[in-house]
Amino acid sequence: MKRTTKAFIASLLLVGSTLTVGAQERISVRKQIHRQEQKSPRKDSGEKKHGMWSIKPQMGLTVSTLTGDDAEGLESQTSWNGGIEVERKLNERIGLSVGLLYTNTGAKEKNRKQSYYVGGPRLVEEPFKPQDTSIDYVNFDKTRYTLQYLSLPLIVNAYVVKGLALKVGVQPMFKVGGNSVFHKWGYYKAPHEPDSEYRHHDEENKTSIRKSLSTAVFAFPIGLSYEWKQVFVDARYHFSVGSAIKYSSVNNRYLSVNLGYRFEL
């Protein structure tokens, strides 16, 4: 009887020991899984992984001008640019991007030029309100210059806080085309009708200046961007090195403000 009791107690102790070891092993496995979950970000956490690639189509406005010794009397003009960039995140703070953008730059004449025929010296203002019928005609004219490029921006993006990035880089720009638009308008009287009312005329002439442009220039962009739910606004100021026009001293300067969307790969 005693032997039977001892054997029974020994069996109970063995079963209890086995259950305890099994429970400890299960607890240990759960702890390891928990540690792994803490180290690895969840897929739906919204955090950007290191080494992640993304595609960023974008489009926006450019405000540009031409500067230099041979670009006096010009002021800024507004145009557009657009294209796509590809970015790779190196770590939480740094990303590298390369892009292909179609860019319009240029400038327009600051002051209207005017010519007129009149019996004596007079200043004719625009809008024209003739008070002296001795004026036979008055013309105003202004020229706008547009330079078109394919740009390849190489940008370093520094993510300083959530959603906000500082940008700096280099941007080769290859000419695609260019034109000058001569706009002329004015008022005149019909020949041999000095007492007739003034008539208005308005005309534009576009001329290609592509052959006059340098094949390529280099720009240095600096700026910032802000992203919210993969929609971003990107603003950059660009200043170029090398003349935009052959045999002259004319440099591009422009600000671009683009709206885009990030597609994560």
Side-chain angles (χ1 to χ4, degrees), residues 5-134:
T5 303
K6 289 180 178 179
F8 179 72
I9 293 172
S11 299
L12 290 176
L13 291 174
L14 180 61
V15 172
S17 176
T18 302
L19 292 173
T20 303
V21 171
Q24 289 176 345
E25 289 179 350
R26 287 193 295 272
I27 292 172
S28 177
V29 170
R30 289 195 189 100
K31 288 183 178 178
Q32 290 179 3
I33 293 174
H34 182 65
R35 291 194 196 100
Q36 287 296 112
E37 288 179 346
Q38 288 181 330
K39 291 179 180 179
S40 302
R42 296 178 181 176
K43 290 184 179 180
D44 60 350
S45 64
E47 297 180 3
K48 293 180 173 58
K49 299 177 183 178
H50 302 166
M52 184 189 72
W53 291 85
S54 58
I55 297 176
K56 302 190 296 183
Q58 56 193 278
M59 180 173 285
L61 297 176
T62 59
V63 180
S64 63
T65 190
L66 299 172
T67 63
D69 295 338
D70 299 318
E72 295 181 356
L74 298 178
E75 64 179 0
S76 61
Q77 70 174 10
T78 302
S79 190
W80 66 276
N81 78 113
I84 192 168
E85 290 186 340
V86 178
E87 181 181 5
R88 185 177 188 271
K89 287 292 292 291
L90 301 181
N91 54 49
E92 291 181 356
R93 296 295 185 186
I94 301 296
L96 296 178
S97 64
V98 60
L100 178 63
L101 302 175
Y102 181 83
T103 307
N104 287 289
T105 68
K108 59 187 178 182
E109 289 184 332
K110 185 180 297 184
N111 298 313
R112 288 184 299 268
K113 298 177 181 178
Q114 66 171 274
S115 59
Y116 56 90
Y117 177 81
V118 64
R122 286 173 175 77
L123 177 65
V124 181
E125 300 289 347
E126 172 75 8
F128 177 55
K129 295 179 180 180
Q131 303 296 328
D132 191 336
T133 56
S134 64

Side-chain angles (χ1 to χ4, degrees), residues 62-258:
T62 59
V63 180
S64 63
T65 190
L66 299 172
T67 63
D69 295 338
D70 299 318
E72 295 181 356
L74 298 178
E75 64 179 0
S76 61
Q77 70 174 10
T78 302
S79 190
W80 66 276
N81 78 113
I84 192 168
E85 290 186 340
V86 178
E87 181 181 5
R88 185 177 188 271
K89 287 292 292 291
L90 301 181
N91 54 49
E92 291 181 356
R93 296 295 185 186
I94 301 296
L96 296 178
S97 64
V98 60
L100 178 63
L101 302 175
Y102 181 83
T103 307
N104 287 289
T105 68
K108 59 187 178 182
E109 289 184 332
K110 185 180 297 184
N111 298 313
R112 288 184 299 268
K113 298 177 181 178
Q114 66 171 274
S115 59
Y116 56 90
Y117 177 81
V118 64
R122 286 173 175 77
L123 177 65
V124 181
E125 300 289 347
E126 172 75 8
F128 177 55
K129 295 179 180 180
Q131 303 296 328
D132 191 336
T133 56
S134 64
I135 299 175
D136 292 325
Y137 70 84
V138 56
N139 287 325
F140 302 89
D141 62 78
K142 202 169 189 178
T143 304
R144 183 175 70 252
Y145 304 94
T146 301
L147 286 58
Q148 300 151 346
Y149 296 96
L150 277 181
S151 302
L152 302 175
L154 306 172
I155 305 295
V156 177
N157 303 294
Y159 293 88
V160 290
V161 296
K162 184 178 180 181
L164 180 65
L166 303 181
K167 298 171 177 285
V168 65
V170 62
Q171 179 172 297
M173 302 173 66
F174 301 94
K175 74 173 180 180
V176 175
N179 58 71
S180 65
V181 178
F182 176 76
H183 183 201
K184 180 179 179 181
W185 70 101
Y187 307 87
Y188 68 97
K189 288 184 177 183
H192 312 297
E193 297 182 16
D195 297 327
S196 64
E197 295 184 357
Y198 285 93
R199 302 178 185 180
H200 177 258
H201 71 90
D202 196 319
E203 60 182 286
E204 277 192 356
N205 295 311
K206 181 182 290 188
T207 304
S208 174
I209 58 172
R210 186 180 186 278
K211 292 183 179 180
S212 301
L213 302 181
S214 301
T215 302
V217 295
F218 281 86
F220 294 92
I222 182 171
L224 54 83
S225 67
Y226 184 78
E227 181 177 333
W228 184 72
K229 292 186 177 180
Q230 296 180 261
V231 177
F232 64 87
V233 176
D234 186 306
R236 304 176 194 175
Y237 182 76
H238 307 71
F239 56 95
S240 66
V241 175
S243 180
I245 299 177
K246 297 176 182 178
Y247 317 116
S248 64
S249 176
V250 177
N251 297 315
N252 280 302
R253 297 284 189 274
Y254 72 95
L255 171 70
S256 64
V257 180
N258 289 356

